[in-house]
């Protein structure tokens, strides 16, 4: 596969990325989720129509999102995803992504495919979000390095194993991803780590990953958490995906208290409000 190289690949060497600028604000950064898919686990089909997707992006921007995370393939944390060919994934994104970029917020591309990432970066995306932590598509690390953009490295497993020490597994996975990234020439300051709530984990392991999130700060890299509407919430307090806002907020507040720098959420207004109130309470001590 031949992937076009950017014209000025490392011209950003001495400039801060838009993500680095957000992280320097010293408050949690909110990433709004935009799924241009028919089968996402919580909102599949709602934003497959380009006009509906662009409206949703606009709404999330108005509600205070700092980053918009757009995906054209469901990662289906709980299995059952239909693999989407590259052309189909790009065809879903093509009528939406340029309009989302035009809103002026940094856009991340949620894909595990190098070709889709290269296409999205050429179309103005500024961050790559890989739910396989650079370990699925062997070309993805090079695309990220060539464009000198930040990458979200998420922990994942083909299947959950309740018998393993999930924190040790996450740490070992990150170590492998960091090695791949270093070999490809990705700058360490461009890497964000994400324990991958709901991915290859039992609900109990997802809870453990949130409870022990602080341990992952030993990598010295920003941490992203995406607990929004995920199934572990249902295990604790039964509710369908669109009724899990309370659980999502509880998990995200706990994550920020443990050092998470970025929160990935579907319900942007409520998430921004919860984070602001939690911060105000902290500073009123
Ligand atoms: N979760 C989902 C998708 N992408 N990326 C990161 N970095 N972290 C996450 O926790 C994460 C992610 C699953 O949520 P959603 O996008 O709503 O569902 P689907 O993958 O079914 O479209």
């Amino acid at each position: 596969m031949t992937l076009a190289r950017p014209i000025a690949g490392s011209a950003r060497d001495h400039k801060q990325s838009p993500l680095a600028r957000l992280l320097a604000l010293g408050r949690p950064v909110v990433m709004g989720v935009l799924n241009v898919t028919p089968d996402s686990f919580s909102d599949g089909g709602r934003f497959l129509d380009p006009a509906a997707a662009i409206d949703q992006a606009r709404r999330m921007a108005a509600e205070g999102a700092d980053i918009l995370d757009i995906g054209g393939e469901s990662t289906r944390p709980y299995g059952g995803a239909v693999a989407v060919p590259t052309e189909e994934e790009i065809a879903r994104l093509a009528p939406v992504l340029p309009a989302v970029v035009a809103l002026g917020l940094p856009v991340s591309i949620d894909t595990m495919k190098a070709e889709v990432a290269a296409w999205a970066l050429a179309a103005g995306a500024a961050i790559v979000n890989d739910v396989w932590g650079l370990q699925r598509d062997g070309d993805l690390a090079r695309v990220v390095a060539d464009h000198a953009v930040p990458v979200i490295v998420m922990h994942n497993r083909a299947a959950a194993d309740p018998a393993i020490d999930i924190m040790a597994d996450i740490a070992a996975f990150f170590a492998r991803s960091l090695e791949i990234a270093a070999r490809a020439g990705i700058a360490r300051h461009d890497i964000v780590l994400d324990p991958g709530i709901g991915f290859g984990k039992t609900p109990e392991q997802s809870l453990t990953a949130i409870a022990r999130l602080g341990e992952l700060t030993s990598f010295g890299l920003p941490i992203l958490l995406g607990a929004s509407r995920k199934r572990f919430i249902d295990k604790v307090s039964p509710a369908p995906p669109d009724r899990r806002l309370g659980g999502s907020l509880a998990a995200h507040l706990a994550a920020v208290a443990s050092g998470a720098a970025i929160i990935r959420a579907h319900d942007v207004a409520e998430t921004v409000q919860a984070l602001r109130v939690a911060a105000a309470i902290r500073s009123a001590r």
Side-chain angles (χ1 to χ4, degrees), residues 10 41 46 97 99 107 118 121 127 139 150 158 165 191 193 204 231 243 276:
S10 55
F41 82 94
R46 279 190 64 198
L97 190 124
V107 171
L121 292 168
I127 302 165
D139 289 324
D165 173 345
I191 299 172
L193 301 177
E204 293 74 16
R231 191 189 282 171
R243 304 292 302 275
R276 283 182 186 161

Side-chain angles (χ1 to χ4, degrees), residues 35 40-41 74-75 110 129 154 194 199 226 230 264 266:
N35 289 320
S40 286
F41 82 94
S74 169
T75 58
D110 187 348
N129 176 18
M154 198 196 81
D194 176 351
F199 288 87
K230 290 199 173 152
R264 182 181 184 275
H266 299 86

Side-chain angles (χ1 to χ4, degrees), residues 209-234:
I210 299 169
R212 294 173 58 186
L213 195 70
E215 296 172 23
L216 302 176
T217 57
S218 64
F219 284 94
L221 294 170
I223 293 173
L224 180 150
L225 195 95
S228 196
R229 302 181 182 173
K230 290 199 173 152
R231 191 189 282 171
F232 76 93
I233 297 168
D234 178 63

Side-chain angles (χ1 to χ4, degrees), residues 18 21-22 57 61 65-68 97-107 124 126:
R21 280 197 292 276
L22 285 169
D66 299 298
I67 300 169
L68 297 172
L97 190 124
V100 175
V101 168
L103 295 176
L105 296 181
V107 171

Side-chain angles (χ1 to χ4, degrees), residues 145-268:
D146 284 352
H147 288 77
V149 289
V151 59
I152 297 155
V153 160
M154 198 196 81
H155 170 264
N156 210 333
R157 294 175 52 84
D161 179 352
I164 60 167
D165 173 345
I166 195 65
M167 297 312 289
D169 197 69
I170 292 170
F173 182 98
F174 286 165
R176 277 198 301 280
S177 295
L178 290 174
E179 211 179 292
I180 293 167
R183 241 185 287 125
I186 297 172
R188 198 174 161 94
H189 64 249
D190 271 335
I191 299 172
V192 172
L193 301 177
D194 176 351
I197 299 306
F199 288 87
K201 295 172 189 68
T202 63
E204 293 74 16
Q205 288 172 333
S206 284
L207 286 164
T208 298
I210 299 169
R212 294 173 58 186
L213 195 70
E215 296 172 23
L216 302 176
T217 57
S218 64
F219 284 94
L221 294 170
I223 293 173
L224 180 150
L225 195 95
S228 196
R229 302 181 182 173
K230 290 199 173 152
R231 191 189 282 171
F232 76 93
I233 297 168
D234 178 63
K235 194 73 195 289
V236 177
S237 180
D242 63 348
R243 304 292 302 275
R244 297 178 188 165
L245 177 57
S248 306
L249 296 176
H252 288 152
L253 292 180
V256 167
S258 295
I262 308 171
I263 295 301
R264 182 181 184 275
H266 299 86
D267 302 289
V268 169

